[in-house]
Amino acid sequence: MKVCPTGALHRAKGELLVEYTQEKCIGCRMCTIACPFGNAVYDAATESILKCDTCGGNPSCAQFCPVGAIEYVEDSISTRSRKMAFASKMKSALEGE
């Protein structure tokens, strides 16, 4: 969210999920570079950013994954802590520390 110059990526007050407003997007792709989880990708076919919106809490990717490799887990303090720790490790690795 911090790298988005137009506010196309934003979080509603009190919400945890980062939302995306395509109409505000200028296609700079900074979000795709900054996201350590790969949750924002550029789609050349539509010339826009694709970002998971969790399908309203029932993501189809998790529901239909034939081997159960994708699992939807409600965000909590513990899952958020794990994500932050992973992001920190990725940042350090990318910075060459």
Side-chain angles (χ1 to χ4, degrees):
M1 284 182 348
K2 292 178 183 177
V3 301
C4 184
T6 64
L9 290 175
H10 56 279
R11 182 178 290 132
K13 189 169 182 98
E15 293 293 321
L16 297 175
L17 182 68
V18 174
E19 297 177 357
Y20 169 67
T21 304
Q22 185 173 357
E23 294 78 23
K24 290 184 176 182
C25 183
I26 59 172
C28 70
R29 304 181 203 173
M30 289 300 297
C31 57
T32 65
I33 296 166
C35 182
F37 305 112
N39 288 344
V41 295
Y42 181 74
D43 180 31
T46 62
E47 296 181 342
S48 66
I49 301 300
L50 297 177
K51 189 209 161 297
C52 178
D53 63 2
T54 72
C55 295
N58 188 22
S60 298
C61 58
Q63 186 178 1
F64 295 107
C65 181
V67 295
I70 301 172
E71 178 183 26
Y72 178 72
V73 179
E74 287 287 336
D75 194 26
S76 65
I77 299 292
S78 63
T79 57
R80 183 165 285 244
S81 295
R82 285 193 309 241
K83 287 180 182 179
M84 295 302 288
F86 179 77
S88 178
K89 287 179 185 178
M90 286 295 290
K91 181 179 179 185
S92 293
L94 293 172
E95 291 175 344
E97 294 180 8

